[in-house]
Amino acid sequence: MPTYLADQTRLGVDDLTSSLSASLFSNGIKPVNKGNEFDAQGFVGHERAKEALEFGLSMSAIGFNVFAMGEHGTGRQTLIKQMLTSLASVKTAPDEWCYTNNFDESHIPLTLSVKPAGGKKLLISMNKFIDGLLSLFPEVFDNPGYQRQKSAIDREFNRKYDQAISVVEELALKENVVLYEENGEVGFSPIVEGKPLSDKEFSNLNETDRANFYKSLNELENVLSEQLLELPLWKRLSFDQLRQLKNDTAENAIKPYITELEKEFSNNEGVLNYLGKVKSHVVDAVLEILVTESDDTPTDKELRKLMVERFLPNLLVPRDNTKGAPVVYEQNPTYQNLFGHVDFASFQGSSYTSYRLIRPGALHKANGGYLLLDAEKVLSQPMVWSRLKLALKTQQITIENPYSEYSQPSGYSLQPEKIPLQVKVVLLGDAEIYYTLQDYDQEFTELFRVLADFDRHLDKTDSNLIAFGQLIRQRADKHNYPEVSDDAVLELVRYALRRGEHKYKVSANIVQVNDLLDEANYCWQKQGSEGPLKAQHIALAQAAKKRRIGRLSETWLSEIKEQQVLIHTEGGFIGKVNGLTVLEIGDSVFGTPARITATVYAGSEGVTDIEREVDLGKSIHSKGVLLLTGYLGHKYGQTFPVSISANIAIEQSYGHIDGDSASMAELCALISAITLLPIDQSLAITGSINQHGEVQSIGGVNEKIEGFFQLCQDKGLTGTQGVIIPKTNVINLMLNDEVINAVARGEFAIHAVETIDQALELLMNVDAGNISKTGRYPRKSIHGLALDKLENFSDILNGSEE
């Protein structure tokens, strides 16, 4: 191996991780976690998103709702809730909305707006009003004044009736006929010898006497009919007078209560209008419900319920005028939970509904304030997204059954009056949802004009790191964990840097760090619950988690050790190289080497990607293999046509493969097969290349290095083993202590290369060779040998054509 190149590309210990000092997290800086002070330290970074939120939440124009884009766990919800709470606290509490009985059309309940805290006041007053009615009726009709007037009406009717009967009775006596009343009916009977005859005596009369009686009876009935001709009119007049008396009596009794209510709510025109409607209907309701002559008299509780069902407003959402505007986070945005619904109750086996059974949704609760929703959940619920957009465009909340047109018509349904809507909606979602909606839904662009883009990473500045440490200690204090030492905070920050895969960027996903802190507290408890929580507890938690999810990685490595999977970490082989891959299965993410092989022979089929041919290689991997043809043509085909047949495969791979991080390893295996130069198996390689042979960055570099190191450590470190990575990935290195210590001892090496030539020289221990002015490479160089072999293939093919 060219010593100079090996030394030039070998990374030192300082290059393998980010430099941090535990003194930065000195305990002299106490966590801020009391009262409103938490708002100042509740989040770290996200300045761009914060500016967008301040703008969007302050804009009162229609359509400036906010889409908060970012990954789960980055602090979006915390930051947004803090900002919403802060903004809402200085705003005036919105009006309360009630539904009231529509006495004219009961299926269309009417809305009623009252000032904050006025709804409960109105309910208390209306309950007192109903209780007052129950105490008044029917006892109010026992009043002597009412009874005198009722008696006078009855006497007038009786006088007219008696006068009419007297005329007929006087005429009857002249005809020797007596008039009598029985069971409310008027009858006649002949008089013989001063006595009325019974039916038996009447039957004993002769025919002439009976005929004379029937003649007189006919005349008397005609006179009776004439005298009682106006009887229905007298009855109707008497009934009307009695009803008017009842109404006047009830109205006079109720009037003081109504007047008191009107005086109490004199500054609310809506309530006064409602009381006016109550005033015009309450008398009829009282006479119908409370004044009953039925033997089956309802109980006081039942009577009160009937009055409540007619007159007590349905307060949807009470407000506290000291708490500002509402902030609502709806975790389950179903149609009913968002827009409200109408309940049904059961009575004697049948269902019924009324304005009292209207239930509010999240839009009602957030009306006049802010509503926070998860975009994915909203979009997964049927009909919710379209109706939410409609509500925001029309600025009205409609309570309806969204499936009514698809279901059987019910006997009775409500159509509540619409409520004006003034709300600021904040949607939480990822980039895929945002850009999909922006591309396919024009209304989304019109309604959600403000994008709050949350960062995936935070810059590694002292202020951010200190604030990050504050968040860790705040959580520990909140959950009564032990004091978190400086070195423990340092390890948690290093973990966040590792999750961010960058030396100078911390992962904004605080949830992952919190989870590790929780597990470290468990380890602290198992060790005796004494002293502060230290770095060793963080390490124990990481080791425990690695063991829990490490079965797959251990199985894979054991199969390599048992040679079920063929991987060598010593010796040299032609056309074989150790590539590095990352497997991600659920929470388990680990790196493992994979043998990549190449074979070449004379032909013109080009480079064949076996993975693609069998549909195991996906598009990005196939692109990386196709680039090899471009490199070969550019590098060697300037003076003759490059003709080659080659096969490249990732051996013992039985699943789908994607990504171009194996393209540098595949090119090295291909050139080894062309030049017949063996590749050092003690080195593994990862990296992407372009058609000019420049090495490009890849992902998962830490897991890949640690995976190969674990294999080498299990087989025994020789001091010659190591990994080749792209130089541009050095900034992503956040390796574990085992690898760093092995590099410090000289037992393992990590080389960072910029070109494919450097990688070839490290793997084959031969100079790559520089092209001369004549367009040739040194004969013993890698490129010289490759050029000779490709020229030989070209001659073979051209000769066969001749």
Side-chain angles (χ1 to χ4, degrees), residues 148 187 403 454 595 613 792:
R148 281 196 302 271
Y403 311 108
F454 282 77
R595 172 172 286 182
E613 294 299 316
N792 186 29

Side-chain angles (χ1 to χ4, degrees), residues 533-595:
L533 194 150
K534 299 180 179 179
Q536 68 187 55
H537 300 114
I538 307 297
L540 286 172
Q542 287 180 297
K545 183 174 183 179
K546 184 178 179 181
R547 174 166 175 77
R548 287 198 304 271
I549 64 176
R551 184 183 63 82
L552 292 175
S553 60
E554 291 176 7
T555 301
W556 194 270
L557 289 174
S558 67
E559 288 180 352
I560 294 175
K561 286 189 290 184
E562 295 169 359
Q563 295 188 351
Q564 300 295 323
V565 177
L566 298 178
I567 299 289
H568 291 95
T569 57
E570 296 181 74
F573 295 93
I574 295 172
K576 299 178 184 179
V577 66
N578 290 329
L580 294 174
T581 62
V582 171
L583 297 180
E584 183 171 354
I585 306 172
D587 289 339
S588 182
V589 181
F590 60 94
T592 180
R595 172 172 286 182

Side-chain angles (χ1 to χ4, degrees), residues 40-97:
Q41 291 289 337
F43 59 92
V44 183
H46 305 301
E47 294 302 322
R48 187 199 323 272
K50 185 179 178 183
E51 291 173 10
L53 284 169
E54 288 175 346
F55 166 70
L57 298 177
S58 301
M59 284 290 291
S60 58
I62 299 174
F64 283 86
N65 297 294
V66 180
F67 189 98
M69 183 173 73
E71 295 182 353
H72 174 71
T74 56
R76 289 177 307 166
Q77 199 174 120
T78 301
L79 172 56
I80 291 170
K81 282 185 176 179
Q82 288 174 4
M83 293 190 68
L84 291 180
T85 303
S86 176
L87 285 171
S89 63
V90 298
K91 293 186 69 175
T92 305
D95 289 348
E96 297 176 340
W97 286 94

Side-chain angles (χ1 to χ4, degrees), residues 175-371:
E175 298 290 334
N176 289 322
V177 176
V178 67
L179 180 147
Y180 65 91
E181 292 183 64
E182 187 177 356
N183 296 328
E185 293 184 356
V186 177
F188 296 95
S189 177
I191 298 176
V192 176
E193 297 179 358
K195 294 182 180 180
L197 299 181
S198 65
D199 291 343
K200 183 177 181 180
E201 292 172 337
F202 178 76
S203 62
N204 293 328
L205 292 176
N206 58 45
E207 188 68 26
T208 302
D209 291 338
R210 283 201 300 266
N212 291 334
F213 173 74
Y214 285 130
K215 180 181 178 181
S216 300
L217 181 62
N218 187 46
E219 292 175 355
L220 290 172
E221 286 181 345
N222 289 335
V223 173
L224 180 63
S225 297
E226 291 175 1
Q227 291 295 320
L228 298 181
L229 184 64
E230 294 184 354
L231 180 63
L233 179 61
W234 301 337
K235 284 188 176 181
R236 185 167 66 249
L237 180 61
S238 176
F239 176 80
D240 290 344
Q241 288 175 336
L242 285 173
R243 184 178 62 182
Q244 187 63 43
L245 176 61
K246 277 189 175 182
N247 285 354
D248 292 344
T249 303
E251 186 175 348
N252 290 331
I254 295 169
K255 188 175 180 180
Y257 292 89
I258 295 290
T259 303
E260 184 180 348
L261 286 172
E262 290 175 337
K263 183 178 179 180
E264 184 179 1
F265 297 96
S266 59
N267 60 345
N268 191 316
E269 186 177 351
V271 175
L272 291 178
N273 291 335
Y274 169 63
L275 292 177
K277 295 175 183 176
V278 170
K279 185 177 181 180
S280 62
H281 290 84
V282 67
V283 172
D284 291 339
V286 164
L287 296 179
E288 176 189 340
I289 297 173
L290 301 183
V291 184
T292 176
E293 297 178 359
S294 171
D295 295 335
D296 187 15
T297 305
T299 63
D300 289 345
K301 184 177 181 181
E302 292 172 335
L303 290 174
R304 192 181 197 287
K305 182 179 180 182
L306 290 172
M307 294 299 290
V308 164
E309 287 292 332
R310 289 206 187 187
F311 296 106
L312 191 66
N314 177 12
L315 176 61
L316 293 181
V317 183
R319 305 286 189 198
D320 188 337
N321 53 10
T322 64
K323 292 187 177 180
V327 177
V328 177
Y329 173 47
E330 180 52 61
Q331 298 185 10
N332 183 26
T334 62
Y335 192 96
Q336 290 189 348
N337 288 349
L338 202 56
F339 299 100
H341 63 284
V342 180
D343 264 347
F344 282 82
S346 178
F347 180 72
Q348 293 183 349
S350 61
S351 62
Y352 72 95
T353 188
S354 75
Y355 76 100
R356 297 276 306 156
L357 295 175
I358 297 174
R359 303 292 180 247
L363 281 175
H364 297 91
K365 298 172 185 176
N367 198 5
Y370 307 93
L371 177 61

Side-chain angles (χ1 to χ4, degrees), residues 400-615:
E400 61 184 345
N401 178 7
Y403 311 108
S404 58
E405 57 187 285
Y406 306 112
S407 59
Q408 292 291 332
S410 59
Y412 184 76
S413 63
L414 298 183
Q415 299 174 10
E417 191 176 12
K418 297 178 181 180
I419 293 178
L421 174 65
Q422 186 178 2
V423 68
K424 185 73 70 173
V425 177
V426 180
L427 279 182
L428 300 172
D430 56 28
E432 183 180 358
I433 291 177
Y434 176 76
Y435 292 117
T436 300
L437 288 173
Q438 201 172 49
D439 287 342
Y440 294 102
D441 192 338
Q442 181 62 36
E443 289 180 317
F444 170 76
T445 307
E446 296 172 0
L447 293 171
F448 292 86
R449 298 180 182 179
V450 181
L451 170 64
D453 194 355
F454 282 77
D455 301 319
R456 294 181 59 194
H457 304 99
L458 309 173
D459 291 335
K460 182 197 159 191
T461 62
D462 285 352
S463 60
N464 278 350
L465 292 180
I466 291 172
F468 202 84
Q470 292 275 45
L471 286 181
I472 293 171
R473 286 187 164 128
Q474 283 173 13
R475 179 175 178 82
D477 190 63
K478 178 181 177 181
H479 293 280
N480 297 319
Y481 292 169
E483 177 189 351
V484 184
S485 65
D486 296 345
D487 58 347
V489 175
L490 174 64
E491 288 305 310
L492 289 168
V493 172
R494 284 172 60 88
Y495 175 73
L497 286 164
R498 169 65 180 258
R499 298 293 303 189
E501 293 191 87
H502 205 287
K503 290 181 181 177
Y504 307 113
K505 291 186 183 296
V506 182
S507 170
N509 195 326
I510 189 68
V511 172
Q512 296 169 339
V513 177
N514 289 340
D515 290 345
L516 184 58
L517 176 64
D518 296 342
E519 294 177 32
N521 177 66
Y522 172 76
C523 295
W524 174 81
Q525 292 175 338
K526 285 190 67 176
Q527 287 199 332
S529 304
E530 294 182 0
L533 194 150
K534 299 180 179 179
Q536 68 187 55
H537 300 114
I538 307 297
L540 286 172
Q542 287 180 297
K545 183 174 183 179
K546 184 178 179 181
R547 174 166 175 77
R548 287 198 304 271
I549 64 176
R551 184 183 63 82
L552 292 175
S553 60
E554 291 176 7
T555 301
W556 194 270
L557 289 174
S558 67
E559 288 180 352
I560 294 175
K561 286 189 290 184
E562 295 169 359
Q563 295 188 351
Q564 300 295 323
V565 177
L566 298 178
I567 299 289
H568 291 95
T569 57
E570 296 181 74
F573 295 93
I574 295 172
K576 299 178 184 179
V577 66
N578 290 329
L580 294 174
T581 62
V582 171
L583 297 180
E584 183 171 354
I585 306 172
D587 289 339
S588 182
V589 181
F590 60 94
T592 180
R595 172 172 286 182
I596 299 173
T597 61
T599 58
V600 299
Y601 47 91
S604 57
E605 296 176 3
V607 179
T608 300
D609 177 13
I610 292 178
E611 309 299 331
R612 183 179 67 174
E613 294 299 316
V614 295
D615 294 329

